Amino acid sequence: MDTADSASASTDRIRVRAEQRAGRRTQRVSMADVAQLAGVSSQTVSRVSNGYAGVNEETRRQVLAAMKELGYRPNSAARALKRGEFRTIGVITFNLSTTGNMRTLEAIATSAAQEGYAVTLLPVAVPTQDEVRGAFSRLGELAVDAVIAIMEVHLLDAATISLPPHVQVVVADSDAGDRYSVVDTDQAGGARAAVRHLLDLGHSTIWHLAGPEESFAAQRREDAWRAGLTEAGCALPPVVRGDWSAESGYRAGLRLADEKACTAVFAANDQMALGLLRALHERGRRIPEDVSVIGFDDIPEAGSFLPPLTTVHQDFAEVGRLCVEGVLRRMRHKGAEHGTTLVPTKLVVRDSTAPAPAP
């Protein structure tokens, strides 16, 4: 009998034996039932259901056919208890509308899948400690091995958050290196590069369209802007604040358009820079001839702005990858020290910046 005939005969035997067991379909199918039907050991069924290598292909087909005939579904909870882990990473975040959070989340999901882990997402509707505590509690009920929190440190009060002892935590985009392992973009380095670029173009000072006061990232960028101007001996214009949205950038731009001494603006993100560009255009201020504008993030659309936006590139994919790498390392090496990993930024020069206009 050739291989094809043998496989066909094996499948026929499984079908006949499954039909003989039709009267017992109302009972829960066990791994032993699959093993008996397929004519293999329970260990072989276990190896097939867990996707392990080293199982003969014909045997694998027999086991899969038996699973299908019997309607067998592996008991993931039982497997998790046996292994001592659930192979699931929880992610807590709020403000899913921001570019950084969405791209970081995408990278976390991709990296986790490559490591054989699923991701359970718990969005926090309102950024308060009560909401964050509730999210951590729900993740505990959902059985996760680790948590990645994409949020600010003031929402991660260790005194009010209770976690099972085995759950490890890594924080993205926060300033909590003494209490948690942190992965973040080099916010300060990126802002310094933006300021340096505009000063090198001959602008006497730089206005800043900042993000929300409660944001760690916004504060880091603002502090670096202020330090860069101070070190260069430049006057410090008043901060104009937005909320990360293009609309807030537009409103800020209407104000800045009336500041005739304003020849350069560093916006804390690209969305606000987009609104700023529109407002300046509507008020007759040319970009970059009258006003240079630089953003932060390097969103995919930045090169399609009018004019194409000079900005600071953030590697969100690397942030997400390092978050997953960090929680897995903490799971495998309990007691590892906390610390902060900074992902470098890069200045991307396009057409929205130019030498300062002549006095």
Side-chain angles (χ1 to χ4, degrees):
M1 183 180 296
D2 60 24
T3 302
D5 290 340
S6 176
S8 177
S10 296
T11 303
D12 287 342
R13 286 197 302 271
I14 289 173
R15 179 178 53 78
V16 171
R17 289 154 73 183
E19 290 172 353
Q20 293 173 348
R21 291 166 170 77
R24 294 191 292 164
R25 286 296 179 83
T26 56
Q27 299 178 2
R28 184 176 181 85
V29 179
S30 69
M31 189 178 291
D33 293 329
V34 176
Q36 183 179 359
L37 181 57
V40 299
S41 68
S42 294
Q43 183 180 14
T44 298
V45 176
S46 176
R47 293 183 66 81
V48 172
S49 66
N50 284 288
Y52 291 137
V55 178
N56 177 276
E57 190 56 36
E58 182 180 340
T59 301
R60 186 185 302 277
R61 283 198 298 268
Q62 288 179 225
V63 171
L64 292 176
M67 288 180 177
K68 183 177 180 180
E69 289 288 345
L70 293 174
Y72 174 75
R73 297 291 183 271
N75 188 333
S76 58
R79 290 203 312 250
L81 289 172
K82 185 175 181 180
R83 287 195 308 259
E85 63 177 35
F86 300 96
R87 298 196 73 80
T88 300
I89 297 172
V91 178
I92 299 177
T93 187
F94 62 89
N95 201 357
L96 286 171
S97 63
T98 65
T99 297
N101 284 3
M102 283 303 299
R103 291 173 66 184
T104 300
L105 177 59
E106 179 184 17
I108 289 170
T110 299
S111 298
Q114 291 172 348
E115 296 287 343
Y117 282 76
V119 167
T120 295
L121 173 64
L122 264 77
V124 175
V126 182
T128 64
Q129 287 191 1
D130 284 343
E131 288 286 330
V132 172
R133 279 197 300 271
F136 271 91
S137 297
R138 292 193 297 278
L139 278 175
E141 296 168 1
L142 292 171
V144 299
D145 303 302
V147 174
I148 296 173
I150 310 175
M151 59 181 55
E152 304 294 340
V153 65
H154 68 277
L155 296 174
L156 294 170
D157 185 349
T160 63
I161 292 175
S162 176
L163 285 173
H166 71 281
V167 174
Q168 303 298 321
V169 179
V170 167
V171 180
D173 189 24
S174 190
D175 184 17
D178 57 337
R179 285 179 283 166
Y180 301 97
S181 293
V182 173
V183 178
D184 191 19
T185 297
D186 185 3
Q187 311 287 347
R192 284 194 298 268
V195 170
R196 192 161 51 245
H197 172 67
L198 292 170
L199 292 178
D200 288 345
L201 289 172
H203 296 276
S204 59
T205 193
I206 301 158
W207 292 67
H208 183 45
L209 173 49
E213 285 184 301
E214 66 272 13
S215 167
F216 162 74
Q219 191 60 55
R220 277 284 192 266
R221 296 169 199 179
E222 181 182 335
D223 289 346
W225 160 79
R226 183 175 286 104
L229 290 185
T230 301
E231 291 168 6
C234 300
L236 278 169
V239 172
V240 181
R241 199 168 298 281
D243 61 8
W244 298 131
S245 69
E247 180 59 30
S248 71
Y250 176 75
R251 292 193 300 269
L254 295 177
R255 292 175 52 193
L256 289 173
D258 294 331
E259 298 286 348
K260 298 306 179 184
C262 174
T263 65
V265 181
F266 165 40
N269 80 333
D270 290 349
Q271 289 293 340
M272 292 194 297
L274 174 60
L276 172 68
L277 291 175
R278 176 192 164 198
L280 293 175
H281 174 75
E282 288 181 358
R283 291 297 180 89
R285 302 293 299 275
R286 298 172 301 164
I287 312 298
E289 293 85 355
D290 299 328
V291 183
S292 287
V293 175
I294 189 167
F296 203 108
D297 279 344
D298 193 23
I299 63 176
E301 301 82 9
S304 298
F305 286 9
L306 188 63
L309 183 67
T310 295
T311 185
V312 176
H313 176 79
Q314 295 197 80
D315 192 344
F316 296 110
E318 183 66 359
V319 171
R321 187 190 70 79
L322 289 173
C323 283
V324 173
E325 181 182 283
V327 291
L328 295 182
R329 182 172 59 250
R330 293 194 63 81
M331 287 165 55
R332 294 160 184 166
H333 305 284
K334 301 296 191 296
E337 292 185 0
H338 298 306
T340 298
T341 300
L342 290 181
V343 176
T345 54
K346 179 177 67 174
L347 181 68
V348 180
V349 179
R350 298 192 179 99
D351 297 340
S352 66
T353 53

